């Protein structure tokens, strides 16, 4: 995190935007750490960096990175695996697994993807490959998912800028809360699915 803070301190908004777009392509830098670091420099240099503008820049960077993966899938389809970099990021096994889940659960998988760093890029690409979701719908779902997490990380970094030890602890706690949130959503979806299935059986 210290390395990102130093880099962002030198280049400001554009550095945060650049890294977040690369995160959308699967860059092995945690997106939450990038967002927190953006908030930190706003807290350290409030005269130069406005935290609210940083939030807008961060949202744009997140959505732009995700959109790139969607359009790569939509334009190239499964042919994207011909590229060596993409083969490392998206294995055939992982692609088939995500495609199967996407076919079953559609928009719910797309929404949950924002909170799944390891599968996020694959899911966004598959949504483009399958063409089941229009770009407008993709962007709306991604926006509503991002608006939950992005402000939390940016403002957490802002308020914890002067105490990095406390900040690291809060990041850890925040990640736990997000995972609990994901499990809760998954359990709710499963319950709704079981209830719907039971209703169909009773109707027959």
């Amino acid at each position: 995190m210290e390395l990102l803070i130093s880099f962002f301190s030198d280049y400001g908004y554009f550095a945060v935007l650049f890294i977040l777009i690369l995160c959308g392509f699967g860059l092995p830098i945690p997106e939450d750490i990038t967002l927190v670091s953006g908030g930190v420099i706003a807290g350290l240099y409030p005269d130069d960096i406005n935290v609210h503008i940083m939030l807008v820049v961060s949202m744009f960077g997140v959505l732009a990175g995700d959109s790139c993966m969607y359009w790569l899938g939509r334009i190239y389809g499964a042919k994207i695996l011909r590229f060596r970099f993409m083969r490392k990021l998206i294995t055939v096994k992982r692609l088939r697994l995500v495609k199967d889940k996407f076919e079953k659960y559609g928009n719910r998988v797309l929404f949950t993807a924002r909170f799944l760093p390891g599968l996020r890029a694959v899911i966004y690409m598959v949504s483009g490959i399958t063409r089941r979701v229009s770009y407008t719908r993709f962007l709306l779902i991604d926006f509503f998912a991002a608006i939950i997490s992005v402000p939390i990380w940016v403002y957490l970094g802002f308020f914890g800028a002067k105490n990095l030890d406390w900040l690291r602890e809060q990041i850890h706690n925040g990640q736990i809360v997000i995972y609990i949130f994901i499990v809760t959503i998954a359990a709710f979806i499963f319950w709704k699915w079981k209830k719907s299935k039971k209703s169909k059986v009773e109707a027959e």
Side-chain angles (χ1 to χ4, degrees):
M1 186 168 67
E2 283 81 359
L3 182 61
L4 281 176
I5 292 172
S6 176
F7 178 57
F8 292 164
S9 298
D10 292 335
Y11 299 101
Y13 301 117
F14 295 105
V16 175
L17 178 65
F18 177 68
I19 295 297
L20 284 172
I21 291 175
L22 290 182
C23 284
F25 281 91
L27 182 74
I29 296 178
E31 187 179 271
D32 51 359
I33 300 299
T34 303
L35 294 168
V36 168
S37 299
V40 167
I41 65 166
L44 293 176
Y45 310 105
D47 294 334
D48 300 317
I49 304 292
N50 182 286
V51 68
H52 306 303
I53 296 177
M54 179 59 74
L55 173 60
V56 173
V57 170
S58 298
M59 282 293 296
F60 183 80
V62 163
L63 296 176
D66 296 345
S67 295
C68 286
M69 296 306 292
Y70 172 89
W71 282 109
L72 281 173
R74 184 152 186 147
I75 293 171
Y76 291 100
K79 295 178 183 177
I80 195 71
L81 295 181
R82 293 178 182 176
F83 297 96
R84 182 177 298 179
F85 168 74
M86 288 300 174
R87 284 202 302 270
K88 292 180 180 179
L89 176 65
I90 305 172
T91 63
V92 174
K93 183 178 180 181
R94 180 178 288 185
L95 182 63
R96 287 174 179 170
L97 173 65
V98 172
K99 193 171 183 179
D100 179 61
K101 297 299 181 184
F102 193 81
E103 290 289 338
K104 288 182 179 179
Y105 305 112
N107 295 348
R108 289 165 289 185
V109 173
L110 198 54
F111 180 86
T112 308
R114 167 114 310 273
F115 310 100
L116 301 174
L119 292 174
R120 183 187 301 147
V122 188
I123 293 173
Y124 293 154
M125 183 170 287
V126 169
S127 68
I129 291 174
T130 60
R131 294 174 177 259
R132 285 191 56 194
V133 179
S134 68
Y135 178 64
T136 302
R137 177 176 290 186
F138 169 85
L139 197 60
L140 283 173
I141 293 172
D142 196 29
F143 173 81
F144 285 119
I147 204 66
I148 295 173
S149 60
V150 173
I152 293 175
W153 294 125
V154 173
Y155 287 118
L156 180 63
F158 176 74
F159 290 113
K162 301 295 175 62
N163 190 341
L164 293 185
D165 290 333
W166 174 86
L167 184 58
R168 289 190 187 93
E169 182 181 350
Q170 299 311 309
I171 291 172
H172 177 69
N173 293 338
Q175 289 171 334
I176 292 175
V177 170
I178 287 177
Y179 292 143
I180 292 174
F181 175 73
I182 294 170
V183 171
T184 302
I185 289 178
F188 177 74
I189 291 173
F190 179 75
W191 175 75
K192 290 285 288 183
W193 175 75
K194 290 288 288 184
K195 186 177 180 181
S196 175
K197 189 174 181 181
K198 183 178 180 180
S199 299
K200 289 181 180 179
V201 171
E202 290 176 350
E204 292 175 357

